[in-house]
Amino acid sequence: MKNWNSVEEKWREQLSNKSEDIPEGLWSRLEERLPERLEEKPSRRFPIYWAAAAMLLLALGLSWNWNPALEEGAAEVTRVIEKTEAPVEKAATSVSEALIVPTKATESTFTKARFERVSMEESPVNVVEESPKEEIVATVPATEKKDESPEIVTVRLDIDPIEEEEVKPAFTQQKRRKSLFGKIVGEIRQALDGEPVNWQKLKEGNASFENSIHTVANTYVKTEENLKRTLQIQ
Amino acid sequence: MSTRLPSFTSEIELIAACRNNNRQAQQALFQKMAGKMLSVVKRYISNTSEAEDTLMEGFVKVFSKLDQYQGGGSFEGWVRKIMVNEALMSIRKNKDRYPVDIDVAFDLAHPDETLMQLGLQEIEQLIASLPTGYRTIFNLYAIEGYSHAEIAQLLAISEGTSKSQLSRARALLQNQLITLQL
């Protein structure tokens, strides 16, 4: 006696290979549907909301960094650093060359030149003669000061190295950009509304910002003087 | 259909070309499978034009979802599943109800011997004579090989309903055998 499962299995086998005749024009009808359907499918690789988010972030980033006054200050600091560091190295090298070259021709680095002591007796050097009034300010380590004798020429370069602390105020200002930017935006809005704007108030509210500008300016002047002096030595 | 199409050496190559929206490859795939798939769809939808429409909808889906075919199982099986789903959707759209209560007083344990002797056309005729609901469940279980759990999920019915509908479909088939004098 057969059961239903065997009947169904037989039917399944028979039906699985069954194929109908496809009427003419069925593909053409399908082809008509295909383009519009397949064109609908491709989704945006970069969805619109992601693009909007990216634009917003970009705008925020730009507005966050944009502050002409601070940029000016920062640029000035950079300029000072550039101006100081390069010539100092150069000047130091040239001084050491003038005094030490024959003995230490190959070692004319900035660090060594700073603390080198040159004995006039030991080296047949053509020392550049300086006028008696012209004073070469020196920064020699304290331990070496006691060995000073008439025969020894000590070269001191009083070049204030740019310490990180001096640049720091500008950095701290950067942190305050947000609030400052908010204030500026507020003032602009006020101006757009037709209300009088007190720009001086902005400056007053940021005393440290003003101080940092002065610090930068002072550093610049100080460094410039030092550079001039160094060049005179040359 | 008489257009000479470029031959694709393997099924993988043909599928890859279809994925790239190569129209000739799509036509080749259609020609290769449409006959079989129309037969599948017709088992669920007896109306010819409706079955052809469902077939086309199914192929549109096949071409648009080709990226989802991972190549794990048989491609024909994957296409067949899409066609079955499309047929079920079409039935649902036309508001045909699946289960219909009919009192059948046949002993279902032992089917008539004649059922084993039937030819392909007779089997199709017999299945087509079933009401839509019974036919759907019988096709899914007996011909496509779905389990009752899968049928229940597909048709949003309980497993028990699927089982009872299948036994009633079987009984009705036996009954139809006499009615149709096969």
Side-chain angles (χ1 to χ4, degrees), chain A residues 176-214:
Chain A
R176 294 185 186 184
R177 275 180 186 182
K178 193 186 174 184
S179 57
L180 191 63
F181 176 73
K183 280 178 186 173
I184 292 167
V185 169
E187 294 295 325
I188 291 168
R189 274 187 192 158
Q190 210 176 317
L192 286 171
D193 291 340
E195 288 170 29
V197 180
N198 187 5
W199 294 105
Q200 195 60 34
K201 216 173 93 185
L202 261 180
K203 244 177 145 187
E204 283 166 13
N206 292 279
S208 57
F209 171 68
E210 272 188 283
N211 288 342
S212 69
I213 289 285
H214 290 306

mmCIF file of all heavy atoms in Angstrom, chain A residues 176-214:
data_model
loop_
_atom_site.group_PDB
_atom_site.id
_atom_site.type_symbol
_atom_site.label_atom_id
_atom_site.label_comp_id
_atom_site.label_asym_id
_atom_site.label_seq_id
_atom_site.Cartn_x
_atom_site.Cartn_y
_atom_site.Cartn_z
ATOM 1 N N ARG A 176 39.860 79.774 23.765
ATOM 2 C CA ARG A 176 38.751 80.678 24.061
ATOM 3 C C ARG A 176 38.037 81.125 22.802
ATOM 4 O O ARG A 176 37.156 81.940 22.855
ATOM 5 C CB ARG A 176 39.279 81.900 24.784
ATOM 6 C CG ARG A 176 39.803 81.542 26.136
ATOM 7 C CD ARG A 176 40.197 82.752 26.870
ATOM 8 N NE ARG A 176 40.827 82.364 28.113
ATOM 9 C CZ ARG A 176 41.218 83.231 29.003
ATOM 10 N NH1 ARG A 176 41.064 84.506 28.773
ATOM 11 N NH2 ARG A 176 41.788 82.817 30.096
ATOM 12 N N ARG A 177 38.457 80.612 21.694
ATOM 13 C CA ARG A 177 37.873 81.051 20.435
ATOM 14 C C ARG A 177 36.359 80.922 20.418
ATOM 15 O O ARG A 177 35.676 81.766 19.913
ATOM 16 C CB ARG A 177 38.446 80.232 19.285
ATOM 17 C CG ARG A 177 39.738 80.793 18.804
ATOM 18 C CD ARG A 177 40.259 79.965 17.686
ATOM 19 N NE ARG A 177 41.570 80.433 17.317
ATOM 20 C CZ ARG A 177 42.280 79.934 16.340
ATOM 21 N NH1 ARG A 177 41.800 78.946 15.647
ATOM 22 N NH2 ARG A 177 43.468 80.410 16.042
ATOM 23 N N LYS A 178 35.919 79.859 21.005
ATOM 24 C CA LYS A 178 34.494 79.589 20.926
ATOM 25 C C LYS A 178 33.678 80.732 21.507
ATOM 26 O O LYS A 178 32.806 81.281 20.867
ATOM 27 C CB LYS A 178 34.178 78.288 21.651
ATOM 28 C CG LYS A 178 32.797 77.780 21.350
ATOM 29 C CD LYS A 178 32.501 76.591 22.184
ATOM 30 C CE LYS A 178 31.059 76.166 22.002
ATOM 31 N NZ LYS A 178 30.728 75.069 22.882
ATOM 32 N N SER A 179 34.030 81.105 22.734
ATOM 33 C CA SER A 179 33.272 82.143 23.386
ATOM 34 C C SER A 179 33.432 83.478 22.638
ATOM 35 O O SER A 179 32.476 84.224 22.464
ATOM 36 C CB SER A 179 33.723 82.285 24.829
ATOM 37 O OG SER A 179 35.097 82.542 24.843
ATOM 38 N N LEU A 180 34.634 83.733 22.203
ATOM 39 C CA LEU A 180 34.907 84.965 21.482
ATOM 40 C C LEU A 180 34.111 84.996 20.187
ATOM 41 O O LEU A 180 33.481 85.999 19.839
ATOM 42 C CB LEU A 180 36.409 85.060 21.177
ATOM 43 C CG LEU A 180 36.872 86.409 20.658
ATOM 44 C CD1 LEU A 180 36.651 87.487 21.698
ATOM 45 C CD2 LEU A 180 38.336 86.352 20.265
ATOM 46 N N PHE A 181 34.095 83.862 19.528
ATOM 47 C CA PHE A 181 33.355 83.740 18.265
ATOM 48 C C PHE A 181 31.863 83.963 18.503
ATOM 49 O O PHE A 181 31.196 84.686 17.774
ATOM 50 C CB PHE A 181 33.591 82.352 17.657
ATOM 51 C CG PHE A 181 32.795 82.095 16.414
ATOM 52 C CD1 PHE A 181 33.122 82.709 15.227
ATOM 53 C CD2 PHE A 181 31.695 81.249 16.455
ATOM 54 C CE1 PHE A 181 32.380 82.501 14.099
ATOM 55 C CE2 PHE A 181 30.948 81.023 15.321
ATOM 56 C CZ PHE A 181 31.287 81.645 14.144
ATOM 57 N N GLY A 182 31.401 83.391 19.615
ATOM 58 C CA GLY A 182 29.989 83.563 19.967
ATOM 59 C C GLY A 182 29.659 85.028 20.192
ATOM 60 O O GLY A 182 28.615 85.520 19.749
ATOM 61 N N LYS A 183 30.606 85.696 20.844
ATOM 62 C CA LYS A 183 30.380 87.120 21.121
ATOM 63 C C LYS A 183 30.356 87.916 19.823
ATOM 64 O O LYS A 183 29.517 88.799 19.634
ATOM 65 C CB LYS A 183 31.483 87.653 22.035
ATOM 66 C CG LYS A 183 31.243 87.305 23.496
ATOM 67 C CD LYS A 183 32.360 87.791 24.355
ATOM 68 C CE LYS A 183 32.192 87.321 25.787
ATOM 69 N NZ LYS A 183 33.354 87.647 26.594
ATOM 70 N N ILE A 184 31.301 87.567 18.944
ATOM 71 C CA ILE A 184 31.358 88.274 17.655
ATOM 72 C C ILE A 184 30.056 88.079 16.893
ATOM 73 O O ILE A 184 29.482 89.024 16.373
ATOM 74 C CB ILE A 184 32.571 87.787 16.822
ATOM 75 C CG1 ILE A 184 33.863 88.250 17.499
ATOM 76 C CG2 ILE A 184 32.511 88.326 15.400
ATOM 77 C CD1 ILE A 184 35.112 87.595 16.980
ATOM 78 N N VAL A 185 29.602 86.812 16.883
ATOM 79 C CA VAL A 185 28.341 86.502 16.176
ATOM 80 C C VAL A 185 27.206 87.309 16.782
ATOM 81 O O VAL A 185 26.367 87.886 16.076
ATOM 82 C CB VAL A 185 28.035 84.987 16.223
ATOM 83 C CG1 VAL A 185 26.626 84.692 15.735
ATOM 84 C CG2 VAL A 185 29.048 84.230 15.387
ATOM 85 N N GLY A 186 27.191 87.387 18.094
ATOM 86 C CA GLY A 186 26.165 88.140 18.808
ATOM 87 C C GLY A 186 26.174 89.613 18.401
ATOM 88 O O GLY A 186 25.114 90.211 18.152
ATOM 89 N N GLU A 187 27.400 90.140 18.317
ATOM 90 C CA GLU A 187 27.540 91.563 17.939
ATOM 91 C C GLU A 187 27.062 91.787 16.510
ATOM 92 O O GLU A 187 26.402 92.784 16.220
ATOM 93 C CB GLU A 187 29.006 91.990 18.068
ATOM 94 C CG GLU A 187 29.535 91.987 19.503
ATOM 95 C CD GLU A 187 28.861 92.998 20.409
ATOM 96 O OE1 GLU A 187 28.503 94.091 19.926
ATOM 97 O OE2 GLU A 187 28.669 92.687 21.579
ATOM 98 N N ILE A 188 27.426 90.814 15.634
ATOM 99 C CA ILE A 188 27.002 90.935 14.228
ATOM 100 C C ILE A 188 25.481 90.904 14.135
ATOM 101 O O ILE A 188 24.871 91.706 13.439
ATOM 102 C CB ILE A 188 27.638 89.816 13.366
ATOM 103 C CG1 ILE A 188 29.139 90.073 13.251
ATOM 104 C CG2 ILE A 188 27.013 89.767 11.979
ATOM 105 C CD1 ILE A 188 29.934 88.930 12.695
ATOM 106 N N ARG A 189 24.878 89.992 14.884
ATOM 107 C CA ARG A 189 23.420 89.903 14.891
ATOM 108 C C ARG A 189 22.808 91.215 15.350
ATOM 109 O O ARG A 189 21.831 91.705 14.778
ATOM 110 C CB ARG A 189 22.977 88.779 15.829
ATOM 111 C CG ARG A 189 22.950 87.440 15.140
ATOM 112 C CD ARG A 189 22.360 86.406 16.035
ATOM 113 N NE ARG A 189 22.584 85.074 15.513
ATOM 114 C CZ ARG A 189 22.568 83.979 16.236
ATOM 115 N NH1 ARG A 189 22.355 84.039 17.520
ATOM 116 N NH2 ARG A 189 22.782 82.813 15.688
ATOM 117 N N GLN A 190 23.421 91.760 16.370
ATOM 118 C CA GLN A 190 22.946 93.026 16.927
ATOM 119 C C GLN A 190 23.019 94.106 15.856
ATOM 120 O O GLN A 190 22.088 94.893 15.689
ATOM 121 C CB GLN A 190 23.843 93.388 18.117
ATOM 122 C CG GLN A 190 23.119 94.202 19.185
ATOM 123 C CD GLN A 190 24.018 94.449 20.361
ATOM 124 O OE1 GLN A 190 24.723 93.555 20.795
ATOM 125 N NE2 GLN A 190 24.007 95.673 20.859
ATOM 126 N N ALA A 191 24.146 94.097 15.126
ATOM 127 C CA ALA A 191 24.343 95.092 14.057
ATOM 128 C C ALA A 191 23.298 94.913 12.969
ATOM 129 O O ALA A 191 22.762 95.900 12.441
ATOM 130 C CB ALA A 191 25.737 94.954 13.479
ATOM 131 N N LEU A 192 23.005 93.644 12.653
ATOM 132 C CA LEU A 192 21.999 93.358 11.615
ATOM 133 C C LEU A 192 20.607 93.803 12.054
ATOM 134 O O LEU A 192 19.780 94.194 11.229
ATOM 135 C CB LEU A 192 21.992 91.866 11.283
ATOM 136 C CG LEU A 192 23.167 91.378 10.455
ATOM 137 C CD1 LEU A 192 23.166 89.857 10.387
ATOM 138 C CD2 LEU A 192 23.118 91.948 9.039
ATOM 139 N N ASP A 193 20.373 93.716 13.343
ATOM 140 C CA ASP A 193 19.072 94.149 13.865
ATOM 141 C C ASP A 193 18.950 95.676 13.918
ATOM 142 O O ASP A 193 17.895 96.206 14.269
ATOM 143 C CB ASP A 193 18.849 93.574 15.275
ATOM 144 C CG ASP A 193 18.647 92.079 15.214
ATOM 145 O OD1 ASP A 193 18.305 91.560 14.125
ATOM 146 O OD2 ASP A 193 18.825 91.419 16.256
ATOM 147 N N GLY A 194 20.028 96.334 13.600
ATOM 148 C CA GLY A 194 20.002 97.797 13.579
ATOM 149 C C GLY A 194 20.351 98.428 14.900
ATOM 150 O O GLY A 194 20.220 99.655 15.068
ATOM 151 N N GLU A 195 20.771 97.634 15.836
ATOM 152 C CA GLU A 195 21.137 98.189 17.141
ATOM 153 C C GLU A 195 22.608 98.593 17.149
ATOM 154 O O GLU A 195 23.424 97.981 16.440
ATOM 155 C CB GLU A 195 20.894 97.129 18.224
ATOM 156 C CG GLU A 195 19.421 96.885 18.489
ATOM 157 C CD GLU A 195 19.183 95.674 19.375
ATOM 158 O OE1 GLU A 195 20.087 95.393 20.202
ATOM 159 O OE2 GLU A 195 18.146 95.029 19.212
ATOM 160 N N PRO A 196 22.929 99.594 17.931
ATOM 161 C CA PRO A 196 24.348 100.027 17.963
ATOM 162 C C PRO A 196 25.223 98.949 18.593
ATOM 163 O O PRO A 196 24.826 98.294 19.559
ATOM 164 C CB PRO A 196 24.321 101.296 18.820
ATOM 165 C CG PRO A 196 23.060 101.207 19.613
ATOM 166 C CD PRO A 196 22.096 100.441 18.778
ATOM 167 N N VAL A 197 26.414 98.817 18.048
ATOM 168 C CA VAL A 197 27.319 97.771 18.524
ATOM 169 C C VAL A 197 28.567 98.397 19.129
ATOM 170 O O VAL A 197 29.167 99.300 18.545
ATOM 171 C CB VAL A 197 27.725 96.838 17.365
ATOM 172 C CG1 VAL A 197 28.664 95.759 17.861
ATOM 173 C CG2 VAL A 197 26.503 96.217 16.726
ATOM 174 N N ASN A 198 28.913 97.908 20.299
ATOM 175 C CA ASN A 198 30.118 98.428 20.954
ATOM 176 C C ASN A 198 31.236 97.396 20.761
ATOM 177 O O ASN A 198 31.359 96.435 21.504
ATOM 178 C CB ASN A 198 29.823 98.648 22.445
ATOM 179 C CG ASN A 198 30.983 99.339 23.138
ATOM 180 O OD1 ASN A 198 31.954 99.722 22.491
ATOM 181 N ND2 ASN A 198 30.866 99.493 24.445
ATOM 182 N N TRP A 199 32.025 97.645 19.770
ATOM 183 C CA TRP A 199 33.100 96.703 19.448
ATOM 184 C C TRP A 199 34.185 96.717 20.523
ATOM 185 O O TRP A 199 34.880 95.731 20.720
ATOM 186 C CB TRP A 199 33.711 97.021 18.085
ATOM 187 C CG TRP A 199 32.749 96.816 16.965
ATOM 188 C CD1 TRP A 199 32.102 97.764 16.261
ATOM 189 C CD2 TRP A 199 32.295 95.560 16.446
ATOM 190 N NE1 TRP A 199 31.270 97.198 15.319
ATOM 191 C CE2 TRP A 199 31.367 95.836 15.421
ATOM 192 C CE3 TRP A 199 32.554 94.228 16.750
ATOM 193 C CZ2 TRP A 199 30.725 94.857 14.688
ATOM 194 C CZ3 TRP A 199 31.913 93.250 16.022
ATOM 195 C CH2 TRP A 199 31.005 93.560 15.012
ATOM 196 N N GLN A 200 34.295 97.864 21.170
ATOM 197 C CA GLN A 200 35.322 97.991 22.208
ATOM 198 C C GLN A 200 35.057 96.997 23.339
ATOM 199 O O GLN A 200 35.983 96.487 23.953
ATOM 200 C CB GLN A 200 35.305 99.446 22.735
ATOM 201 C CG GLN A 200 36.529 99.833 23.557
ATOM 202 C CD GLN A 200 37.820 99.723 22.780
ATOM 203 O OE1 GLN A 200 37.834 99.979 21.581
ATOM 204 N NE2 GLN A 200 38.908 99.332 23.428
ATOM 205 N N LYS A 201 33.751 96.716 23.519
ATOM 206 C CA LYS A 201 33.330 95.793 24.586
ATOM 207 C C LYS A 201 33.949 94.403 24.392
ATOM 208 O O LYS A 201 34.334 93.739 25.344
ATOM 209 C CB LYS A 201 31.804 95.691 24.581
ATOM 210 C CG LYS A 201 31.192 95.560 25.960
ATOM 211 C CD LYS A 201 29.709 95.648 25.876
ATOM 212 C CE LYS A 201 29.087 94.278 25.765
ATOM 213 N NZ LYS A 201 27.636 94.316 25.572
ATOM 214 N N LEU A 202 34.044 94.064 23.160
ATOM 215 C CA LEU A 202 34.626 92.759 22.808
ATOM 216 C C LEU A 202 36.053 92.665 23.300
ATOM 217 O O LEU A 202 36.480 91.670 23.872
ATOM 218 C CB LEU A 202 34.611 92.570 21.295
ATOM 219 C CG LEU A 202 33.491 91.731 20.704
ATOM 220 C CD1 LEU A 202 33.653 91.673 19.204
ATOM 221 C CD2 LEU A 202 33.525 90.325 21.277
ATOM 222 N N LYS A 203 36.786 93.758 23.037
ATOM 223 C CA LYS A 203 38.200 93.821 23.408
ATOM 224 C C LYS A 203 38.357 93.801 24.931
ATOM 225 O O LYS A 203 39.194 93.089 25.475
ATOM 226 C CB LYS A 203 38.794 95.113 22.860
ATOM 227 C CG LYS A 203 39.879 94.893 21.815
ATOM 228 C CD LYS A 203 40.312 96.211 21.308
ATOM 229 C CE LYS A 203 41.772 96.237 20.982
ATOM 230 N NZ LYS A 203 42.217 97.587 20.638
ATOM 231 N N GLU A 204 37.481 94.542 25.553
ATOM 232 C CA GLU A 204 37.560 94.658 27.011
ATOM 233 C C GLU A 204 37.287 93.317 27.696
ATOM 234 O O GLU A 204 37.884 92.982 28.690
ATOM 235 C CB GLU A 204 36.529 95.687 27.502
ATOM 236 C CG GLU A 204 36.965 97.108 27.258
ATOM 237 C CD GLU A 204 35.826 98.104 27.433
ATOM 238 O OE1 GLU A 204 34.760 97.726 27.988
ATOM 239 O OE2 GLU A 204 36.009 99.243 26.998
ATOM 240 N N GLY A 205 36.396 92.614 27.106
ATOM 241 C CA GLY A 205 36.018 91.327 27.689
ATOM 242 C C GLY A 205 37.127 90.284 27.607
ATOM 243 O O GLY A 205 37.072 89.237 28.216
ATOM 244 N N ASN A 206 38.143 90.595 26.813
ATOM 245 C CA ASN A 206 39.231 89.642 26.621
ATOM 246 C C ASN A 206 40.582 90.262 26.916
ATOM 247 O O ASN A 206 41.382 90.522 26.026
ATOM 248 C CB ASN A 206 39.224 89.119 25.176
ATOM 249 C CG ASN A 206 38.004 88.261 24.933
ATOM 250 O OD1 ASN A 206 37.988 87.108 25.283
ATOM 251 N ND2 ASN A 206 36.984 88.867 24.370
ATOM 252 N N ALA A 207 40.769 90.549 28.171
ATOM 253 C CA ALA A 207 42.000 91.207 28.600
ATOM 254 C C ALA A 207 43.209 90.328 28.285
ATOM 255 O O ALA A 207 44.247 90.817 27.815
ATOM 256 C CB ALA A 207 41.932 91.510 30.094
ATOM 257 N N SER A 208 43.079 89.079 28.558
ATOM 258 C CA SER A 208 44.197 88.167 28.331
ATOM 259 C C SER A 208 44.556 88.101 26.851
ATOM 260 O O SER A 208 45.710 87.932 26.475
ATOM 261 C CB SER A 208 43.842 86.771 28.840
ATOM 262 O OG SER A 208 42.671 86.357 28.200
ATOM 263 N N PHE A 209 43.540 88.273 26.040
ATOM 264 C CA PHE A 209 43.776 88.271 24.592
ATOM 265 C C PHE A 209 44.650 89.462 24.215
ATOM 266 O O PHE A 209 45.611 89.343 23.460
ATOM 267 C CB PHE A 209 42.424 88.327 23.873
ATOM 268 C CG PHE A 209 42.530 88.554 22.401
ATOM 269 C CD1 PHE A 209 43.076 87.578 21.582
ATOM 270 C CD2 PHE A 209 42.084 89.736 21.822
ATOM 271 C CE1 PHE A 209 43.171 87.779 20.216
ATOM 272 C CE2 PHE A 209 42.181 89.941 20.473
ATOM 273 C CZ PHE A 209 42.725 88.972 19.660
ATOM 274 N N GLU A 210 44.316 90.632 24.814
ATOM 275 C CA GLU A 210 45.118 91.832 24.550
ATOM 276 C C GLU A 210 46.541 91.641 25.064
ATOM 277 O O GLU A 210 47.513 91.998 24.425
ATOM 278 C CB GLU A 210 44.461 93.024 25.238
ATOM 279 C CG GLU A 210 43.413 93.705 24.367
ATOM 280 C CD GLU A 210 42.926 94.977 25.000
ATOM 281 O OE1 GLU A 210 42.127 94.877 25.935
ATOM 282 O OE2 GLU A 210 43.380 96.035 24.557
ATOM 283 N N ASN A 211 46.642 91.069 26.284
ATOM 284 C CA ASN A 211 47.956 90.832 26.891
ATOM 285 C C ASN A 211 48.829 89.964 26.009
ATOM 286 O O ASN A 211 50.008 90.223 25.837
ATOM 287 C CB ASN A 211 47.788 90.155 28.252
ATOM 288 C CG ASN A 211 47.235 91.127 29.273
ATOM 289 O OD1 ASN A 211 47.292 92.337 29.049
ATOM 290 N ND2 ASN A 211 46.676 90.602 30.332
ATOM 291 N N SER A 212 48.216 88.949 25.472
ATOM 292 C CA SER A 212 49.001 88.018 24.652
ATOM 293 C C SER A 212 49.532 88.714 23.412
ATOM 294 O O SER A 212 50.639 88.454 22.959
ATOM 295 C CB SER A 212 48.165 86.804 24.272
ATOM 296 O OG SER A 212 47.164 87.188 23.384
ATOM 297 N N ILE A 213 48.752 89.646 22.884
ATOM 298 C CA ILE A 213 49.196 90.411 21.712
ATOM 299 C C ILE A 213 50.422 91.240 22.097
ATOM 300 O O ILE A 213 51.425 91.294 21.376
ATOM 301 C CB ILE A 213 48.058 91.331 21.191
ATOM 302 C CG1 ILE A 213 46.956 90.486 20.550
ATOM 303 C CG2 ILE A 213 48.580 92.380 20.225
ATOM 304 C CD1 ILE A 213 47.281 89.924 19.196
ATOM 305 N N HIS A 214 50.348 91.832 23.289
ATOM 306 C CA HIS A 214 51.488 92.645 23.757
ATOM 307 C C HIS A 214 52.721 91.777 23.973
ATOM 308 O O HIS A 214 53.828 92.152 23.641
ATOM 309 C CB HIS A 214 51.111 93.378 25.053
ATOM 310 C CG HIS A 214 50.111 94.466 24.814
ATOM 311 N ND1 HIS A 214 50.295 95.468 23.886
ATOM 312 C CD2 HIS A 214 48.886 94.700 25.359
ATOM 313 C CE1 HIS A 214 49.242 96.269 23.869
ATOM 314 N NE2 HIS A 214 48.365 95.818 24.752
#
